Amino acid sequence: GLFGVVKGEVKNLTLKDSYMKGRTMVAGLVCYAEGTTIINNCHNKSTIDGVGCASGILGQAFGNNSKDVTITINQCTNEGLVVASNACGIVYYCIGAVDILNCCNKGMVATTRTSDFQYGRIAGICGFAQGDYMHLHIMNCMNCGTVVGGAGIVNTINNRWAPQDKNLQYVYNCVNYGNTREAAIAYSIKDYAVVCANYYLETSSAKCYVTSQSKIINNNIEMTEKEMKAVTFLQTLNQNASSFARMTQTTLNGWTTGEDGFPILDWMK
């Protein structure tokens, strides 16, 4: 990536017409983020080619197990080709207190695996998310790119160490109308992670998720193209964003109609 280790802020940056190649962890912009880090309004329009793991924006996000220390990835997009055994459009690996908000994958994300997709971390937005005792939010994100061998939004989300009455990991108000071979929203949902109020085009994938050990999966809705392009759906997305922003004390953008009639985040207009 352009930056190896970041603890601070990276903003207003676009990587384009480039080619990144490596082995263990290849990212377009940042390989490793820790502590209080903000990656805001950053975009990849280049090819990211890895052997083990690759991502368009950020490789690994290690938010410390403190409620006051949060890594935020906000208003970032990937439009480039990302290819590796474990490939993701925005961020490959998250642990601890991390927010992925208002992000979009438009590019192709492809795995070099020919089988055993359950052991890979392949997704449009995030490959592996584990919040432990801390909150971890993947909210108000969208995938309209092709994901080969994984999921549209997140491959694996895990609430492993949190108490049963503490639902701290959320995938909420995300939209997928890209082509995803394995799962429209998530491949594997574990423990008490919450996956609710997400939406996917009926032609994106045969199912919302592949495997789940969570009991908190609801209101994930398969939609026709006509339904997804309707004004009433925009109203639903905006209402969800407003209510959940208040609940989680985050900033979630509104939604509007893109040139092709599908919803997009208003900051992308």
Side-chain angles (χ1 to χ4, degrees), residues 179-212:
N179 182 15
T180 52
R181 182 198 297 178
E182 300 299 318
I185 301 299
Y187 193 102
S188 178
I189 308 166
K190 297 183 178 182
D191 302 308
Y192 290 85
V194 179
V195 178
C196 65
N198 300 287
Y199 308 90
Y200 59 100
L201 191 65
E202 61 181 357
T203 57
S204 292
S205 175
K207 45 200 162 188
C208 174
Y209 62 92
V210 177
T211 63
S212 174

Side-chain angles (χ1 to χ4, degrees), residues 97-146:
V98 179
D99 283 344
I100 305 173
L101 311 174
N102 311 307
C103 291
C104 173
N105 176 62
K106 298 181 180 181
M108 175 176 281
V109 176
T111 179
T112 54
R113 295 170 181 263
T114 57
S115 61
D116 295 331
F117 297 123
Q118 69 269 32
Y119 301 114
R121 302 288 184 257
I122 307 108
I125 301 298
C126 179
F128 182 86
Q130 180 171 298
D132 291 339
Y133 291 103
M134 298 299 104
H135 74 261
L136 191 152
H137 301 137
I138 302 173
M139 299 189 300
N140 234 40
C141 292
M142 58 176 284
N143 174 68
C144 54
T146 296

